[in-house]
Coordinates of all heavy atoms in Angstrom, one line a residue:
T1 N 119.3 91.7 88.5 CA 119.0 93.1 89.0 C 117.6 93.2 89.6 O 116.7 92.5 89.1 CB 119.1 94.1 87.8 OG1 118.3 93.6 86.8 CG2 120.5 94.3 87.3
A2 N 117.5 94.0 90.5 CA 116.2 94.2 91.2 C 115.3 95.1 90.3 O 115.8 95.9 89.5 CB 116.4 94.9 92.6
S3 N 114.0 94.9 90.5 CA 113.1 95.7 89.8 C 111.9 96.0 90.6 O 111.7 95.3 91.6 CB 112.7 95.1 88.5 OG 112.0 93.9 88.7
T4 N 111.1 97.0 90.3 CA 109.8 97.3 91.0 C 108.7 97.1 90.1 O 108.8 97.2 88.8 CB 109.8 98.7 91.6 OG1 110.0 99.6 90.5 CG2 111.0 98.9 92.6
L5 N 107.5 96.9 90.6 CA 106.3 96.8 89.8 C 105.3 97.7 90.4 O 105.0 97.8 91.6 CB 105.7 95.3 90.0 CG 104.4 95.0 89.3 CD1 104.5 95.1 87.8 CD2 103.9 93.7 89.7
S6 N 104.7 98.5 89.5 CA 103.6 99.4 89.9 C 102.4 99.1 89.0 O 102.6 98.7 87.8 CB 104.0 100.9 89.8 OG 104.2 101.2 88.5
T7 N 101.2 99.3 89.5 CA 100.0 99.1 88.7 C 99.1 100.3 88.7 O 99.2 101.1 89.6 CB 99.2 97.9 89.3 OG1 98.8 98.2 90.7 CG2 100.0 96.6 89.3
S8 N 98.3 100.3 87.7 CA 97.3 101.4 87.6 C 96.0 100.8 87.1 O 96.0 99.8 86.5 CB 97.8 102.5 86.7 OG 97.8 102.1 85.4
G9 N 94.9 101.5 87.3 CA 93.6 101.0 86.9 C 93.1 100.0 87.9 O 93.5 99.9 89.0
T10 N 92.1 99.3 87.5 CA 91.5 98.2 88.3 C 92.5 97.1 88.3 O 92.7 96.4 87.3 CB 90.2 97.7 87.7 OG1 89.3 98.9 87.6 CG2 89.5 96.7 88.6
V11 N 93.2 96.9 89.4 CA 94.3 96.0 89.5 C 93.9 94.5 89.2 O 94.7 93.8 88.6 CB 94.9 96.0 90.9 CG1 96.0 95.0 91.1 CG2 95.5 97.4 91.2
D12 N 92.7 94.1 89.4 CA 92.3 92.7 89.2 C 91.5 92.5 88.0 O 90.9 91.4 87.9 CB 91.6 92.2 90.5 CG 90.3 92.9 90.8 OD1 90.0 94.0 90.1 OD2 89.6 92.5 91.6
G13 N 91.3 93.4 87.1 CA 90.5 93.2 85.9 C 91.1 93.6 84.6 O 92.2 94.2 84.5
T14 N 90.4 93.2 83.5 CA 90.9 93.5 82.2 C 91.2 95.0 82.1 O 90.4 95.9 82.6 CB 89.8 93.1 81.2 OG1 89.7 91.7 81.1 CG2 90.2 93.7 79.8
G15 N 92.3 95.4 81.5 CA 92.7 96.8 81.3 C 93.7 97.3 82.4 O 94.2 98.3 82.2
A16 N 93.8 96.5 83.4 CA 94.8 97.0 84.5 C 96.2 97.0 83.8 O 96.5 96.1 83.0 CB 94.8 96.0 85.7
V17 N 97.0 97.9 84.2 CA 98.3 98.1 83.6 C 99.4 97.9 84.7 O 99.3 98.5 85.7 CB 98.5 99.5 82.9 CG1 99.9 99.7 82.4 CG2 97.5 99.6 81.8
A18 N 100.4 97.1 84.4 CA 101.5 96.8 85.3 C 102.8 97.3 84.6 O 103.0 97.0 83.5 CB 101.6 95.4 85.7
T19 N 103.5 98.2 85.3 CA 104.8 98.7 84.8 C 105.9 98.1 85.6 O 105.9 98.3 86.9 CB 104.8 100.2 84.9 OG1 103.6 100.7 84.1 CG2 106.0 100.8 84.2
V20 N 106.9 97.5 85.0 CA 108.1 97.0 85.7 C 109.2 98.0 85.4 O 109.5 98.4 84.3 CB 108.4 95.6 85.1 CG1 109.7 95.1 85.8 CG2 107.3 94.7 85.3
K21 N 109.9 98.4 86.5 CA 111.0 99.4 86.4 C 112.2 98.8 87.0 O 112.2 98.0 88.0 CB 110.6 100.7 87.1 CG 109.5 101.4 86.4 CD 109.2 102.7 87.0 CE 108.1 103.4 86.3 NZ 107.9 104.8 86.7
D22 N 113.4 99.2 86.5 CA 114.6 98.7 87.1 C 115.0 99.6 88.3 O 114.2 100.5 88.6 CB 115.8 98.7 86.0 CG 116.1 100.1 85.5 OD1 115.8 101.1 86.1 OD2 116.8 100.1 84.4
T23 N 116.1 99.3 88.9 CA 116.5 100.0 90.1 C 116.7 101.5 89.9 O 116.7 102.3 90.9 CB 117.7 99.4 90.8 OG1 118.8 99.3 89.8 CG2 117.4 98.0 91.3
K24 N 116.9 101.9 88.7 CA 117.2 103.3 88.4 C 115.9 104.0 88.0 O 115.9 105.2 87.7 CB 118.2 103.4 87.2 CG 119.6 102.9 87.6 CD 120.5 103.1 86.5 CE 121.9 102.5 86.9 NZ 122.9 102.6 85.9
G25 N 114.8 103.3 88.0 CA 113.5 103.9 87.7 C 113.1 103.9 86.2 O 112.1 104.4 85.8
N26 N 114.0 103.2 85.4 CA 113.7 103.1 84.0 C 112.6 102.0 83.7 O 112.7 100.9 84.3 CB 114.9 102.7 83.2 CG 116.0 103.8 83.4 OD1 115.8 105.0 83.2 ND2 117.2 103.3 83.7
T27 N 111.7 102.3 82.9 CA 110.6 101.3 82.6 C 111.2 100.2 81.7 O 111.9 100.4 80.7 CB 109.5 102.0 81.8 OG1 108.9 103.0 82.6 CG2 108.4 100.9 81.4
V28 N 111.1 99.0 82.2 CA 111.6 97.8 81.6 C 110.5 97.1 80.7 O 110.8 96.7 79.6 CB 112.1 96.8 82.6 CG1 112.6 95.5 82.0 CG2 113.2 97.4 83.5
A29 N 109.3 97.1 81.2 CA 108.2 96.5 80.5 C 106.9 97.0 81.0 O 106.8 97.5 82.2 CB 108.2 95.0 80.7
V30 N 105.9 97.0 80.2 CA 104.5 97.5 80.5 C 103.6 96.4 80.0 O 103.6 95.9 78.9 CB 104.1 98.8 79.9 CG1 102.7 99.2 80.2 CG2 105.1 99.9 80.3
Y31 N 102.7 95.9 80.9 CA 101.8 94.8 80.6 C 100.4 95.2 80.9 O 100.1 95.9 81.9 CB 102.1 93.6 81.4 CG 103.5 93.0 81.3 CD1 104.5 93.3 82.1 CD2 103.7 92.1 80.2 CE1 105.8 92.8 82.0 CE2 105.0 91.6 80.0 CZ 106.0 92.0 80.9 OH 107.3 91.4 80.7
T32 N 99.4 94.9 80.0 CA 98.0 95.1 80.2 C 97.4 93.8 80.4 O 97.5 92.8 79.6 CB 97.4 95.8 79.0 OG1 98.1 97.0 78.7 CG2 95.9 96.1 79.2
L33 N 96.6 93.7 81.5 CA 96.0 92.4 81.9 C 94.7 92.2 81.0 O 93.9 93.1 80.8 CB 95.5 92.5 83.4 CG 94.8 91.3 83.9 CD1 95.7 90.0 83.9 CD2 94.3 91.6 85.4
I34 N 94.6 91.0 80.5 CA 93.4 90.6 79.8 C 92.8 89.4 80.5 O 93.5 88.3 80.6 CB 93.7 90.2 78.3 CG1 94.4 91.4 77.6 CG2 92.4 89.8 77.6 CD1 93.6 92.6 77.4
I35 N 91.6 89.4 80.9 CA 90.9 88.3 81.5 C 89.7 88.0 80.5 O 88.8 88.8 80.3 CB 90.3 88.6 82.9 CG1 91.4 88.9 83.9 CG2 89.5 87.4 83.4 CD1 91.0 89.4 85.2
F36 N 89.8 86.8 79.8 CA 88.9 86.5 78.8 C 87.5 86.4 79.4 O 87.2 85.7 80.4 CB 89.2 85.2 78.1 CG 90.5 85.4 77.3 CD1 91.7 85.0 77.8 CD2 90.5 86.1 76.1 CE1 92.9 85.1 77.0 CE2 91.6 86.3 75.4 CZ 92.8 85.8 75.8
G37 N 86.5 87.2 78.8 CA 85.2 87.3 79.3 C 84.9 88.5 80.2 O 83.8 89.0 80.3
D38 N 86.0 89.0 80.8 CA 85.8 90.2 81.7 C 86.0 91.5 80.8 O 87.0 92.1 80.8 CB 86.9 90.2 82.8 CG 86.8 91.5 83.6 OD1 85.8 92.1 83.8 OD2 87.9 91.9 84.1
V39 N 85.0 91.8 80.1 CA 85.0 92.9 79.1 C 85.1 94.3 79.8 O 85.8 95.2 79.4 CB 83.9 92.9 78.1 CG1 83.9 94.0 77.2 CG2 83.8 91.5 77.4
N40 N 84.4 94.5 80.9 CA 84.3 95.8 81.6 C 85.4 96.0 82.6 O 85.5 97.1 83.2 CB 82.9 96.0 82.2 CG 82.7 95.1 83.4 OD1 83.4 94.2 83.7 ND2 81.6 95.4 84.1
G41 N 86.3 95.0 82.8 CA 87.4 95.3 83.7 C 87.2 95.2 85.2 O 88.1 95.6 85.9
D42 N 86.1 94.6 85.6 CA 85.9 94.5 87.1 C 86.4 93.2 87.7 O 86.3 93.0 88.9 CB 84.4 94.7 87.4 CG 83.5 93.5 86.9 OD1 84.0 92.6 86.3 OD2 82.3 93.6 87.2
G43 N 87.0 92.3 86.9 CA 87.6 91.1 87.4 C 86.7 89.9 87.4 O 87.1 88.8 87.8
D44 N 85.4 90.1 87.0 CA 84.4 89.0 86.9 C 83.7 89.0 85.6 O 83.7 90.0 84.9 CB 83.4 89.2 88.0 CG 83.7 88.5 89.3 OD1 84.4 87.5 89.3 OD2 83.3 89.1 90.4
V45 N 83.2 87.8 85.3 CA 82.3 87.7 84.1 C 80.9 87.8 84.6 O 80.4 87.0 85.3 CB 82.5 86.4 83.3 CG1 81.6 86.3 82.1 CG2 84.0 86.3 82.9
K46 N 80.2 89.0 84.3 CA 78.9 89.2 84.8 C 78.0 89.7 83.6 O 78.4 89.8 82.5 CB 79.0 90.3 85.8 CG 79.7 89.9 87.1 CD 79.7 91.1 88.1 CE 80.7 90.9 89.1 NZ 80.8 92.1 90.0
L47 N 76.8 90.1 84.0 CA 75.8 90.6 83.0 C 76.3 91.8 82.2 O 76.1 91.8 81.0 CB 74.5 91.0 83.8 CG 73.3 91.4 82.9 CD1 72.9 90.3 81.9 CD2 72.1 91.8 83.7
A48 N 77.1 92.7 82.8 CA 77.6 93.8 82.1 C 78.5 93.4 80.9 O 78.5 94.0 79.8 CB 78.3 94.8 83.0
D49 N 79.3 92.4 81.1 CA 80.2 91.8 80.1 C 79.3 91.2 78.9 O 79.6 91.5 77.8 CB 81.1 90.8 80.6 CG 81.9 91.3 81.8 OD1 82.6 92.3 81.6 OD2 81.8 90.8 82.9
Y50 N 78.3 90.5 79.3 CA 77.4 89.9 78.3 C 76.7 91.0 77.5 O 76.7 90.8 76.3 CB 76.4 89.0 79.1 CG 75.2 88.6 78.4 CD1 75.3 87.5 77.5 CD2 74.0 89.1 78.7 CE1 74.2 87.0 76.9 CE2 72.8 88.6 78.0 CZ 72.9 87.6 77.1 OH 71.8 87.1 76.5
V51 N 76.3 92.0 78.1 CA 75.6 93.1 77.4 C 76.6 93.8 76.5 O 76.2 94.1 75.3 CB 75.0 94.1 78.4 CG1 74.5 95.4 77.7 CG2 73.8 93.4 79.2
A52 N 77.8 94.0 76.9 CA 78.8 94.7 76.1 C 79.1 93.9 74.8 O 79.3 94.4 73.7 CB 80.1 94.9 76.9
V53 N 79.2 92.6 75.0 CA 79.5 91.7 73.9 C 78.3 91.6 72.9 O 78.5 91.7 71.7 CB 80.0 90.3 74.3 CG1 80.1 89.3 73.1 CG2 81.3 90.4 75.1
K54 N 77.1 91.6 73.5 CA 75.9 91.6 72.7 C 75.9 92.8 71.8 O 75.6 92.8 70.6 CB 74.7 91.5 73.6 CG 73.4 91.4 72.8 CD 72.2 91.3 73.7 CE 70.9 91.3 73.0 NZ 69.7 91.2 73.9
S55 N 76.2 94.0 72.4 CA 76.2 95.2 71.7 C 77.3 95.2 70.6 O 77.0 95.7 69.5 CB 76.5 96.4 72.6 OG 75.4 96.5 73.6
S56 N 78.4 94.6 70.9 CA 79.5 94.5 69.9 C 79.1 93.7 68.7 O 79.3 94.0 67.5 CB 80.7 94.0 70.5 OG 81.7 93.7 69.5
V57 N 78.4 92.6 69.0 CA 78.0 91.7 67.9 C 77.0 92.4 66.9 O 77.1 92.2 65.7 CB 77.3 90.4 68.5 CG1 76.6 89.6 67.4 CG2 78.4 89.6 69.2
V58 N 76.2 93.4 67.5 CA 75.3 94.1 66.6 C 75.9 95.4 66.1 O 75.2 96.2 65.5 CB 73.9 94.3 67.3 CG1 73.2 93.0 67.5 CG2 74.1 95.2 68.5
G59 N 77.2 95.7 66.4 CA 77.8 96.8 65.7 C 78.4 97.9 66.6 O 79.1 98.8 66.1
T60 N 78.3 97.8 67.9 CA 78.9 98.8 68.8 C 80.3 98.5 69.1 O 80.7 97.4 69.5 CB 78.1 98.9 70.1 OG1 76.7 99.2 69.8 CG2 78.7 100.0 71.0
A61 N 81.2 99.5 68.9 CA 82.7 99.2 69.1 C 83.0 99.3 70.6 O 82.3 99.9 71.4 CB 83.5 100.3 68.4
F62 N 84.1 98.6 71.0 CA 84.6 98.6 72.3 C 85.4 99.9 72.6 O 85.9 100.5 71.6 CB 85.5 97.4 72.6 CG 84.7 96.1 72.7 CD1 84.8 95.2 71.6 CD2 83.9 95.8 73.7 CE1 84.1 94.0 71.7 CE2 83.2 94.7 73.8 CZ 83.3 93.8 72.7
D63 N 85.5 100.3 73.8 CA 86.2 101.5 74.2 C 87.7 101.4 73.9 O 88.4 102.4 73.6 CB 86.0 102.0 75.6 CG 84.6 102.4 75.9 OD1 83.9 102.8 74.9 OD2 84.1 102.3 77.0
D64 N 88.3 100.2 74.1 CA 89.7 100.0 73.9 C 90.0 98.6 73.5 O 89.2 97.7 73.5 CB 90.5 100.4 75.2 CG 90.1 99.6 76.4 OD1 90.0 98.4 76.3 OD2 90.0 100.2 77.5
D65 N 91.3 98.4 73.1 CA 91.8 97.1 72.6 C 91.7 96.0 73.7 O 91.4 94.9 73.4 CB 93.2 97.3 72.1 CG 93.7 96.1 71.3 OD1 92.9 95.7 70.5 OD2 94.8 95.7 71.5
A66 N 91.9 96.4 75.0 CA 91.9 95.4 76.0 C 90.5 94.8 76.1 O 90.3 93.6 76.3 CB 92.3 96.0 77.4
Q67 N 89.4 95.6 76.0 CA 88.1 95.1 76.0 C 87.8 94.2 74.9 O 87.2 93.1 75.0 CB 87.1 96.3 76.0 CG 87.0 97.1 77.2 CD 86.0 98.2 77.1 OE1 85.9 98.8 76.1 NE2 85.3 98.5 78.2
A68 N 88.2 94.5 73.7 CA 88.0 93.7 72.5 C 88.7 92.4 72.6 O 88.1 91.3 72.3 CB 88.5 94.4 71.2
K69 N 89.9 92.4 73.2 CA 90.6 91.1 73.4 C 89.9 90.2 74.4 O 89.9 89.0 74.3 CB 92.1 91.4 73.8 CG 92.9 91.9 72.6 CD 94.3 92.1 73.0 CE 95.1 92.6 71.8 NZ 96.5 93.0 72.1
A70 N 89.4 90.8 75.5 CA 88.7 90.1 76.5 C 87.5 89.5 76.0 O 87.0 88.4 76.4 CB 88.5 91.0 77.7
A71 N 86.8 90.2 75.1 CA 85.6 89.7 74.5 C 85.8 88.5 73.5 O 84.9 87.7 73.3 CB 84.8 90.8 73.8
D72 N 86.9 88.4 72.9 CA 87.2 87.4 71.9 C 87.7 86.1 72.6 O 88.8 85.7 72.5 CB 88.3 87.9 70.9 CG 88.6 86.9 69.9 OD1 87.8 86.0 69.6 OD2 89.8 86.9 69.3
V73 N 86.7 85.5 73.3 CA 87.1 84.3 74.1 C 87.5 83.1 73.3 O 88.2 82.2 73.8 CB 86.0 84.0 75.1 CG1 85.8 85.1 76.1 CG2 84.7 83.6 74.5
N74 N 87.1 83.0 72.1 CA 87.5 81.8 71.3 C 88.8 82.1 70.5 O 89.2 81.2 69.8 CB 86.4 81.3 70.4 CG 86.0 82.3 69.3 OD1 86.6 83.3 69.1 ND2 85.1 81.8 68.4
G75 N 89.3 83.3 70.5 CA 90.6 83.5 69.9 C 90.7 83.6 68.4 O 91.7 83.5 67.8
D76 N 89.5 83.9 67.8 CA 89.6 83.9 66.3 C 89.8 85.4 65.8 O 89.7 85.6 64.6 CB 88.3 83.3 65.7 CG 87.1 84.2 66.0 OD1 87.1 85.2 66.7 OD2 86.0 83.8 65.5
T77 N 90.2 86.3 66.6 CA 90.5 87.7 66.4 C 89.3 88.5 66.0 O 89.4 89.7 65.6 CB 91.6 87.9 65.3 OG1 91.1 87.5 64.0 CG2 92.8 87.1 65.6
E78 N 88.1 88.0 66.2 CA 86.8 88.7 65.9 C 85.9 88.4 67.1 O 85.8 87.3 67.6 CB 86.2 88.4 64.6 CG 87.0 88.7 63.4 CD 86.3 88.3 62.1 OE1 85.9 87.1 62.0 OE2 86.2 89.2 61.3
V79 N 85.1 89.4 67.4 CA 84.0 89.2 68.4 C 82.7 88.9 67.7 O 82.2 89.7 67.0 CB 83.9 90.4 69.4 CG1 82.8 90.2 70.4 CG2 85.2 90.7 70.1
K80 N 82.3 87.7 67.9 CA 81.1 87.2 67.1 C 80.2 86.5 68.1 O 80.4 86.4 69.3 CB 81.6 86.3 66.0 CG 82.4 87.0 64.9 CD 82.6 86.1 63.7 CE 83.9 85.3 63.9 NZ 84.3 84.5 62.7
L81 N 79.1 85.9 67.5 CA 78.1 85.2 68.2 C 78.7 84.1 69.1 O 78.2 83.9 70.3 CB 77.1 84.6 67.2 CG 75.9 83.9 67.9 CD1 75.1 84.9 68.7 CD2 75.0 83.4 66.8
A82 N 79.7 83.4 68.7 CA 80.2 82.3 69.5 C 80.8 82.9 70.8 O 80.7 82.3 71.9 CB 81.3 81.6 68.8
D83 N 81.4 84.1 70.8 CA 82.0 84.7 72.0 C 80.8 85.1 72.9 O 80.9 84.9 74.1 CB 82.8 85.9 71.6 CG 83.9 85.6 70.7 OD1 84.8 84.7 71.1 OD2 84.0 86.1 69.5
Y84 N 79.8 85.7 72.3 CA 78.6 86.1 73.1 C 78.0 84.9 73.8 O 77.7 85.0 75.0 CB 77.6 86.7 72.1 CG 76.2 86.9 72.6 CD1 76.0 88.0 73.4 CD2 75.2 86.1 72.1 CE1 74.6 88.2 73.9 CE2 73.9 86.4 72.5 CZ 73.6 87.4 73.4 OH 72.3 87.6 73.8
V85 N 77.9 83.8 73.1 CA 77.3 82.6 73.7 C 78.2 82.1 74.9 O 77.7 81.7 75.9 CB 77.1 81.5 72.6 CG1 76.7 80.1 73.3 CG2 76.0 81.9 71.7
A86 N 79.5 82.1 74.7 CA 80.4 81.6 75.7 C 80.4 82.5 76.9 O 80.4 82.0 78.1 CB 81.8 81.6 75.1
I87 N 80.3 83.8 76.7 CA 80.2 84.7 77.9 C 78.9 84.6 78.6 O 78.8 84.6 79.8 CB 80.5 86.1 77.5 CG1 82.0 86.2 77.1 CG2 80.2 87.1 78.6 CD1 82.5 87.5 76.5
K88 N 77.8 84.4 77.8 CA 76.5 84.1 78.4 C 76.5 82.9 79.3 O 76.0 82.9 80.4 CB 75.4 83.9 77.3 CG 74.0 83.7 77.8 CD 73.0 83.5 76.7 CE 71.7 83.3 77.3 NZ 70.7 83.1 76.2
A89 N 77.2 81.9 78.9 CA 77.4 80.7 79.7 C 78.1 81.0 81.0 O 77.7 80.5 82.1 CB 78.1 79.6 79.0
G90 N 79.1 81.9 81.0 CA 79.8 82.3 82.2 C 78.8 83.1 83.1 O 78.9 82.9 84.3
V91 N 78.0 83.9 82.6 CA 77.1 84.7 83.4 C 76.1 83.8 84.1 O 75.8 84.0 85.3 CB 76.3 85.7 82.5 CG1 75.2 86.4 83.3 CG2 77.3 86.8 82.0
V92 N 75.6 82.7 83.5 CA 74.6 81.9 84.1 C 75.2 80.8 85.0 O 74.5 79.9 85.5 CB 73.6 81.2 83.1 CG1 72.8 82.3 82.4 CG2 74.3 80.4 82.1
G93 N 76.6 80.8 85.1 CA 77.2 79.9 86.0 C 77.9 78.7 85.4 O 78.4 77.9 86.2
S94 N 77.9 78.5 84.1 CA 78.5 77.4 83.5 C 80.0 77.5 83.3 O 80.7 76.6 82.9 CB 77.8 77.1 82.2 OG 76.5 76.8 82.4
G95 N 80.5 78.7 83.5 CA 81.9 79.0 83.2 C 82.1 79.4 81.8 O 81.3 79.1 80.9
V96 N 83.2 80.1 81.6 CA 83.6 80.6 80.2 C 84.7 79.7 79.7 O 85.7 79.6 80.3 CB 84.1 82.1 80.2 CG1 84.5 82.5 78.9 CG2 83.0 83.0 80.8
T97 N 84.5 79.1 78.6 CA 85.5 78.3 77.9 C 86.3 79.1 77.0 O 85.7 79.7 76.1 CB 84.9 77.1 77.2 OG1 84.1 76.3 78.1 CG2 85.9 76.2 76.5
V98 N 87.6 79.3 77.2 CA 88.4 80.1 76.3 C 89.4 79.3 75.5 O 89.8 78.2 76.0 CB 89.1 81.2 77.1 CG1 88.2 82.1 77.8 CG2 90.1 80.6 78.1
N99 N 89.7 79.8 74.4 CA 90.7 79.1 73.5 C 91.4 80.2 72.7 O 91.3 80.3 71.5 CB 90.1 78.1 72.6 CG 91.1 77.3 71.8 OD1 92.3 77.3 72.2 ND2 90.7 76.7 70.8
P100 N 92.1 81.1 73.4 CA 92.7 82.2 72.7 C 94.0 81.9 71.9 O 94.4 82.7 71.1 CB 93.1 83.2 73.9 CG 93.3 82.3 75.0 CD 92.3 81.1 74.8
Y101 N 94.5 80.7 72.0 CA 95.7 80.4 71.3 C 95.6 79.1 70.5 O 96.2 78.1 70.8 CB 96.9 80.3 72.3 CG 97.0 81.5 73.2 CD1 96.7 81.5 74.5 CD2 97.5 82.7 72.7 CE1 96.8 82.6 75.3 CE2 97.6 83.8 73.4 CZ 97.2 83.8 74.8 OH 97.3 84.9 75.5
K102 N 94.7 79.2 69.5 CA 94.5 78.0 68.7 C 95.7 77.6 67.9 O 96.5 78.4 67.5 CB 93.4 78.4 67.7 CG 92.0 78.5 68.3 CD 91.0 78.7 67.2 CE 89.7 78.8 67.8 NZ 88.6 79.0 66.9

């Protein structure tokens, strides 16, 4: 069967939502994009992501679940210092090493 895909939000970043519908317009599936390290949803790992994770490590909550998942680059289900260090490496150009599925 044929289906259609529509997106909302920032299409290329964390938090973007894709909705798949069948030919009758019924929603078949809804997916939220998570890019590990891209906490603010702009599609890149930049200083703003690093600052957001730093704030989280000292106690500031994320706005939504997608941001928290993107910040947890080592996949241990918590945003901690190791995630902060990994995202910092991405900001300075070394790349972000992710392991979300241990």
Side-chain angles (χ1 to χ4, degrees):
T1 55
S3 61
T4 60
L5 173 68
S6 64
T7 59
S8 66
T10 305
V11 175
D12 62 350
T14 293
V17 176
T19 304
V20 179
K21 296 185 177 187
D22 63 18
T23 56
K24 295 180 182 179
N26 300 312
T27 299
V28 176
V30 178
Y31 299 97
T32 301
L33 178 64
I34 305 294
I35 299 173
F36 294 100
D38 175 30
V39 179
N40 69 352
D42 69 356
D44 270 327
V45 179
K46 297 182 196 169
L47 184 60
D49 304 301
Y50 167 74
V51 170
V53 173
K54 181 179 180 181
S55 295
S56 171
V57 168
V58 296
T60 304
F62 291 106
D63 292 338
D64 62 44
D65 193 44
Q67 288 179 323
K69 286 180 181 177
D72 181 24
V73 296
N74 69 358
D76 68 356
T77 69
E78 296 180 308
V79 179
K80 296 190 269 187
L81 185 59
D83 302 300
Y84 168 74
V85 170
I87 291 174
K88 180 179 179 183
V91 170
V92 298
S94 301
V96 177
T97 301
V98 300
N99 187 17
Y101 306 106
K102 290 183 179 183

